[in-house]
Amino acid sequence: MEVEQEKMNLSKELSPDSASYRCSACHGDETWSYHHPIRGRAKSRSLSASPALGSTKEFRRTRSLHGPCPVTTFGPKACVLQNPQTIMHIQDPASQRLTWNKSPKSVLVIKKIRDASLLQPFKELCMYLMEENNMIVYVEKKVLEDPAIVSDENFGPVKKKFCTFREDYDDISNQIDFIICLGGDGTLLYASSLFQGSVPPVMAFHLGSLGFLTPFNFENFQTQVKQVIEGNVAVILRSRLKVRVVKELRDKKTDVHNGLGENGLDTEGGKQAMQYQVLNEVVIDRGPSSYLSNVDVYLDGHLITTVQGDGVIVSTPTGSTAYAGAAGASMVHPNVPAIMVTPICPHSLSFRPIVVPAGVELKITLSPEARNTAWVSFDGRKRQEIRHGDSISITTSCYPLPSLCVQDPKRDWFKSLAQCLHWNVRKKQAHFPEDEEDS
């Protein structure tokens, strides 16, 4: 990443002993260092605001309820252009621009599986990236196993140049400069799940059913991809949720890949801990049981309410227009630093959706008097049962998803509201005739 000169000077002034600091908003899970390799490559860390050193040499990033931690580097080469007028680490959406310090060379292309209509766009895009831009293209192995691709002799020479990977087995997080999605909103959610740390910039083409999160049209993809590669395009930082699920070990058999448990499985004190990065929402529901769900919700260690009903949705602003919106939550712009808590068909009619500051920690457990277990899913995936003694901790992640814009974060979002959700679309009221107005 190209880091401003003042940031370079800052990293030189910090001593090796004081360069490393810990983000308390992440509860100690992410430790950064100006001289520590980021995602496998040594580089200076670019922050959205310069710290005031004052009389002390140590720079300690304090917990902020005004928004996620100010991480502005994404992937090996991308960053957001710095804004000198940044206030409280929250950038004006109009100032969020993407830049590169070197031309990106590797791209991950994610295609919706089992959709024959995407085969031709996929082939055209990959041939353009490889032949016209001489880029390294990564694809999921099962994408190339599609019979239509296997039987295409013209695509054979191109297919041999792909780098392939398998979900949950291969870690490609340190290899990708940016991502291109072909499909609908679910394709973007899947791309987010592949990166449990820093996410490279994502360019999403609308080739699915809804397309609220996919602003680009494929008709002139060459021009748009070229503009992204050249840099200086608008980007919207979609905050994600860091979710930690702690379960009591009831079965010694666990799914292990490459010597590691699923999603960084960790056993500690007779319990099993898993961590997820969630773009849309965490849903806790009653599952197949006919009884109401009964879960306790804590905010920063204090019990705030007990949810009795079909369940509860904890969502990001991006997820406020998805399941949470269908359950009655307000639609919140992705640049608003917040977490939404929305009940699903609550037993109490006064239980209205609420918005809490980004950075707080929500903890959800099964109530002692609950008659049945609960079930939890993360962006509609990894669904699992929650029993007595288990807990779900949710807070704002330090790793947002940088989604590239066609125009800018504000106009793209309102355009999606109008086109995809038909927000406030109605027949206009007729005006009075001039003679009636005079009378």
Side-chain angles (χ1 to χ4, degrees):
M1 309 315 319
E2 184 177 10
V3 185
E4 295 182 0
Q5 187 63 39
E6 60 184 55
K7 303 298 186 296
M8 297 293 292
N9 295 336
L10 171 64
S11 62
K12 293 178 182 179
E13 292 177 12
L14 291 174
S15 66
D17 296 333
S18 63
S20 179
Y21 65 98
R22 185 176 298 273
C23 174
S24 58
C26 301
H27 304 281
D29 288 345
E30 290 90 356
T31 303
W32 303 108
S33 171
Y34 284 95
H35 303 288
H36 190 277
I38 302 299
R39 289 168 50 79
R41 304 186 186 186
K43 66 184 77 175
S44 298
R45 197 70 178 172
S46 174
L47 299 179
S48 60
S50 301
L53 297 178
S55 59
T56 174
K57 294 182 179 180
E58 182 181 8
F59 166 44
R60 185 180 183 85
R61 185 166 62 190
T62 58
R63 177 168 179 159
S64 171
L65 297 184
H66 298 295
C69 299
V71 176
T72 56
T73 58
F74 311 102
K77 298 177 182 176
C79 70
V80 174
L81 291 177
Q82 298 301 300
N83 176 20
Q85 296 180 349
T86 298
I87 300 175
M88 294 193 306
H89 302 312
I90 301 176
Q91 285 188 317
D92 177 358
S95 74
Q96 293 174 182
R97 311 289 298 181
L98 187 75
T99 188
W100 312 91
N101 97 343
K102 295 180 180 179
S103 297
K105 292 298 181 183
S106 59
V107 57
L108 169 62
V109 178
I110 299 179
K111 183 186 79 70
K112 186 178 179 182
I113 305 297
R114 296 186 298 275
D115 191 338
S117 66
L118 297 182
L119 290 176
Q120 189 59 34
F122 172 73
K123 294 176 184 178
E124 292 179 9
L125 173 65
C126 292
M127 293 179 69
Y128 172 76
L129 292 171
M130 290 181 177
E131 297 177 359
E132 299 294 329
N133 295 278
N134 195 28
M135 300 192 73
I136 302 172
V137 178
Y138 286 78
V139 297
E140 199 166 6
K141 189 174 182 180
K142 59 185 177 183
V143 171
L144 299 183
E145 295 171 353
D146 191 301
I149 293 180
V150 173
S151 60
D152 191 338
E153 296 181 357
N154 296 328
F155 196 62
V158 177
K159 187 175 64 174
K160 294 179 181 179
K161 299 179 182 179
F162 283 118
C163 293
T164 60
F165 72 98
R166 295 174 298 167
E167 183 189 9
D168 292 334
Y169 283 86
D170 302 315
D171 182 14
I172 60 170
S173 59
N174 194 42
Q175 312 299 325
I176 306 301
D177 292 331
F178 77 103
I179 305 169
I180 297 179
C181 292
L182 302 177
D185 294 348
T187 310
L188 181 64
L189 294 176
Y190 176 69
S192 172
S193 70
L194 294 176
F195 295 85
Q196 294 299 301
S198 179
V199 187
V202 182
M203 184 181 190
F205 285 97
H206 174 34
L207 292 168
S209 56
L210 183 61
F212 190 88
L213 305 178
T214 54
F216 290 92
N217 292 319
F218 195 76
E219 285 75 13
N220 57 339
F221 76 92
Q222 296 96 335
T223 303
Q224 297 179 99
V225 171
K226 181 180 179 181
Q227 183 179 357
V228 170
I229 293 175
E230 291 175 352
N232 196 26
V233 295
V235 61
I236 184 169
L237 305 182
R238 299 185 179 276
S239 66
R240 298 196 293 175
L241 298 175
K242 185 183 73 173
V243 186
R244 182 175 175 83
V245 180
V246 178
K247 293 184 176 182
E248 292 185 352
L249 283 175
R250 301 178 180 90
D251 187 358
K252 294 183 179 179
K253 295 181 180 180
T254 56
D255 243 351
V256 176
H257 306 302
N258 290 343
L260 296 175
E262 179 189 44
N263 230 348
L265 180 66
D266 180 27
T267 56
E268 50 183 37
K271 294 193 175 185
Q272 171 184 331
M274 294 166 288
Q275 188 165 297
Y276 305 90
Q277 298 285 332
V278 177
L279 179 60
N280 260 2
E281 73 275 305
V282 180
V283 178
I284 298 95
D285 59 71
R286 60 189 176 95
S289 174
S290 59
Y291 295 110
L292 296 175
S293 68
N294 201 329
V295 296
D296 294 334
V297 180
Y298 297 83
L299 191 147
D300 285 342
H302 301 284
L303 177 66
I304 58 172
T305 192
T306 297
V307 179
Q308 284 187 303
D310 282 354
V312 63
I313 305 168
V314 180
S315 61
T316 62
T318 295
S320 69
T321 52
Y323 191 5
S330 296
M331 294 184 289
V332 181
H333 190 279
N335 277 109
V336 177
I339 299 175
M340 273 64 68
V341 180
T342 308
I344 307 172
C345 299
H347 193 260
S348 169
L349 295 180
S350 63
F351 191 173
R352 310 312 301 160
I354 60 173
V355 180
V356 296
V360 301
E361 182 185 58
L362 294 168
K363 185 176 180 181
I364 300 176
T365 61
L366 207 61
S367 298
E369 62 273 14
R371 296 181 179 181
N372 57 306
T373 61
W375 288 76
V376 62
S377 62
F378 315 93
D379 283 341
R381 308 178 78 237
K382 308 290 185 182
R383 185 169 170 81
Q384 53 195 269
E385 191 173 15
I386 299 297
R387 302 181 181 182
H388 287 285
D390 302 341
S391 66
I392 306 167
S393 298
I394 306 170
T395 190
T396 305
S397 172
C398 284
Y399 304 108
L401 183 141
S403 179
L404 303 183
C405 302
V406 174
Q407 293 178 301
D408 60 64
K410 291 175 286 188
R411 283 186 286 182
D412 277 18
W413 191 70
F414 280 101
K415 183 178 180 180
S416 294
L417 286 183
Q419 291 186 347
C420 300
L421 301 186
H422 303 291
W423 178 64
N424 199 29
V425 174
R426 61 182 294 274
K427 187 176 181 179
K428 292 187 179 296
Q429 189 177 38
H431 68 284
F432 289 122
E434 293 183 3
D435 55 346
E436 291 188 14
E437 289 181 354
D438 296 337
S439 60

